[in-house]
Amino acid sequence: MRASIRILLCFTLCMATGAQAAKLTMDDKVARWPRATTDEKIDFATRMGKAFTSLSPDLDRNYFIKCLEETANIGNPRDIKLEEAVKMCIAVNKPPSEPE
């Protein structure tokens, strides 16, 4: 009986560690985005939206999901990190400068 409990505990620990390791981070390559789960994408985009909506209300979760999808699926993202893609998404969202 004790061996069963140990196996169950190890299995649970491994599953929890695996789920945590799957979380998208700013250091991940943009090429990982298309292979990420929907939950991972929503989690990452939500975190970015919370961090950047103070700059512009348009920089919400939905904006980041759309922008990162386009970034990952159009062209060749090569070794671009998600951090750089997020910066590009923010730069593209800037309102046009007012005429002088």
Side-chain angles (χ1 to χ4, degrees), residues 35-55:
R35 296 185 313 271
T37 65
T38 301
D39 288 341
E40 290 172 314
K41 291 176 182 180
I42 290 171
D43 176 65
F44 184 82
T46 299
R47 287 184 280 138
M48 295 306 103
K50 286 180 180 177
F52 294 106
T53 52
S54 62
L55 292 175

Side-chain angles (χ1 to χ4, degrees), residues 22-30 32-34 36-52 59-69 71-72 80-90:
K23 193 173 193 177
L24 287 167
T25 68
M26 295 290 264
D27 289 330
D28 285 325
K29 306 285 187 211
V30 172
R32 185 177 179 293
W33 182 267
T37 65
T38 301
D39 288 341
E40 290 172 314
K41 291 176 182 180
I42 290 171
D43 176 65
F44 184 82
T46 299
R47 287 184 280 138
M48 295 306 103
K50 286 180 180 177
F52 294 106
L59 296 173
D60 62 2
R61 176 187 70 193
N62 294 333
Y63 174 76
F64 281 105
I65 288 175
K66 181 181 175 197
C67 185
L68 292 170
E69 283 290 330
T71 302
I80 297 173
K81 291 184 178 184
L82 282 172
E83 177 182 13
E84 296 167 48
V86 167
K87 288 178 184 177
M88 287 187 277
C89 289
I90 293 167

